[in-house]
Amino acid sequence: MSDAFPTLPEDARREPPAPRTAEIAAYLAARMCHDFISPVSAMVSGLDLLDDPSAQDMREEAMGLIAASARKLADQLGFCRVAFGASASAEVFDSRELGRLAEGLFRHIRAELDWQVATPALPKPAARALLNLSQLAGAALPTGGAARIQAEEREGFILIRARAEGARVRLRAEVSDGLAGLPMAEGLHGYWVQAYYVHLFVTDAGGTVRVDSGPGTIDFLAALPA
């Protein structure tokens, strides 16, 4: 009997199909709902404490919980409106406003933001890439570190680098695959879909995006037409 393995049928050798638009929309919606549910649930808990006659001694703590959660939700909504929705009426974004949106997001994670964006204004695709790569850099530092965000115009292109630097920096396989335009394999869709979304709108704009990693650092890099 021959020891040779049989050849695979043609269908078994095909690459996984690319996700459909409806799937991407569903994954993005699920990702944002996951982010929003935490502060919303905390606000509801605070309101429940205010309504509880036996918990009136916790009124100050309840108000503090509601206020902190409302700020977090507002920061997340403002960030997502540009990073994912991009304000259809705006085609150019002030870098200072983008910096304020990023600062709002980083107020609620462990990583520190080092905003070093030299370009005063960015077209919509570059602005969206800048915010999304900033968030990916922050997410790569779950135990803390620094996310240095840079952007400059050179030879007709906007060059973006979001560097995550920390002792326990981590690049998830889902993020690497998504930025490369690969379909979801194993892991969590919430991490993959943002990276894949970045790949889609950057390449649609005529740009490129990639990720490089080294000892203690991860660089999220993009180049888009100015």
Side-chain angles (χ1 to χ4, degrees):
M1 181 180 293
S2 172
D3 291 330
F5 287 101
T7 58
L8 290 173
E10 189 66 28
D11 287 347
R13 293 196 296 267
R14 291 177 182 170
E15 291 293 324
R20 296 176 301 170
T21 302
E23 292 175 318
I24 299 300
Y27 291 148
L28 281 175
R31 161 64 189 268
M32 287 186 282
C33 287
H34 176 272
D35 290 344
F36 299 154
I37 195 64
S38 175
V40 170
S41 296
M43 291 169 66
V44 171
S45 296
L47 291 171
D48 288 342
L49 285 174
L50 291 179
D51 287 339
D52 186 351
S54 66
Q56 291 306 301
D57 59 329
M58 299 181 65
R59 183 177 180 84
E60 185 175 347
E61 290 84 349
M63 291 300 296
L65 178 63
I66 293 170
S69 300
R71 284 192 293 269
K72 181 177 181 179
L73 182 60
D75 287 337
Q76 289 177 332
L77 286 169
F79 181 92
C80 289
R81 179 173 177 266
V82 176
F84 297 109
S87 292
S89 62
E91 294 298 327
V92 178
F93 292 82
D94 188 319
S95 295
R96 294 170 298 180
E97 177 58 26
L98 296 175
R100 285 190 285 270
L101 293 174
E103 288 169 2
L105 183 78
F106 273 75
R107 275 196 288 267
H108 310 288
I109 62 176
R110 293 187 177 182
E112 295 182 2
L113 178 66
D114 181 10
W115 189 262
Q116 298 184 12
V117 175
T119 308
L122 294 171
K124 183 189 295 184
R128 294 160 79 185
L130 186 68
L131 289 184
N132 277 280
L133 295 184
S134 299
Q135 188 173 29
L136 290 176
L141 297 163
T143 62
R148 182 181 303 117
I149 314 303
Q150 298 170 296
E152 63 178 62
E153 185 173 348
R154 189 187 306 168
E155 298 178 0
F157 280 84
I158 302 292
L159 306 180
I160 297 170
R161 180 172 72 176
R163 165 166 286 189
E165 187 169 5
R168 300 183 66 182
V169 65
R170 178 186 181 188
L171 176 62
R172 288 181 172 271
E174 302 99 304
V175 174
S176 179
D177 287 350
L179 288 176
L182 299 176
M184 179 69 187
E186 297 181 357
L188 299 174
H189 283 102
Y191 293 103
W192 170 83
V193 70
Q194 182 178 18
Y196 188 79
Y197 175 67
V198 173
H199 166 82
L200 288 179
F201 72 72
V202 168
T203 53
D204 283 350
T208 60
V209 61
R210 74 177 198 273
V211 58
D212 292 340
S213 59
T217 63
I218 297 173
D219 283 330
F220 298 93
L221 305 161
L224 298 96

